[in-house]
Amino acid sequence: MSGSAIVMLIVAIVIVWGGLVAALLKLRTHPDQPE
């Protein structure tokens, strides 16, 4: 793999996992109320 491909792979992984962690932290602090 070229250097730019590795950088783009790392950026994509950080975006996906960062979003997942942010969503989990938001749900932890503000859980959905059951209807």
Side-chain angles (χ1 to χ4, degrees), residues 15-28:
I15 289 171
V16 170
W17 285 101
L20 182 65
V21 169
L24 287 174
L25 289 176
K26 182 179 181 300
L27 277 175
R28 236 182 196 195

Side-chain angles (χ1 to χ4, degrees), residues 4-15:
S4 61
I6 293 173
V7 169
M8 290 302 295
L9 178 67
I10 292 171
V11 168
I13 289 171
V14 167
I15 289 171

